[in-house]
Amino acid sequence: MKEVAALEEKMNTSYERLLAEMADFKTDMAKYDKDNLCWQIGLWVAAIIILGFLIRL
């Protein structure tokens, strides 16, 4: 029974560590998504301005 209890405790600590790592991963992905969205919006605005300038010529 001691082995089972030790294994159960090890599984619980591993599960808690996994949950903590997943929370960190989610915050990192949210930051990455925000940065990526800012770049996309900036590039679209730049493309529209350049195309508008070229069409005026």
Side-chain angles (χ1 to χ4, degrees), residues 13-29:
T13 56
S14 296
Y15 180 68
E16 290 170 2
R17 188 178 70 237
L18 178 64
L19 288 178
E21 289 176 4
M22 289 296 291
D24 291 342
F25 179 74
K26 285 181 181 180
T27 56
D28 290 345
M29 290 282 64

Side-chain angles (χ1 to χ4, degrees), residues 20-42:
E21 289 176 4
M22 289 296 291
D24 291 342
F25 179 74
K26 285 181 181 180
T27 56
D28 290 345
M29 290 282 64
K31 183 182 179 298
Y32 175 76
D33 286 345
K34 180 183 174 189
D35 293 343
N36 193 20
L37 181 63
C38 289
W39 272 103
Q40 286 181 8
I41 291 172

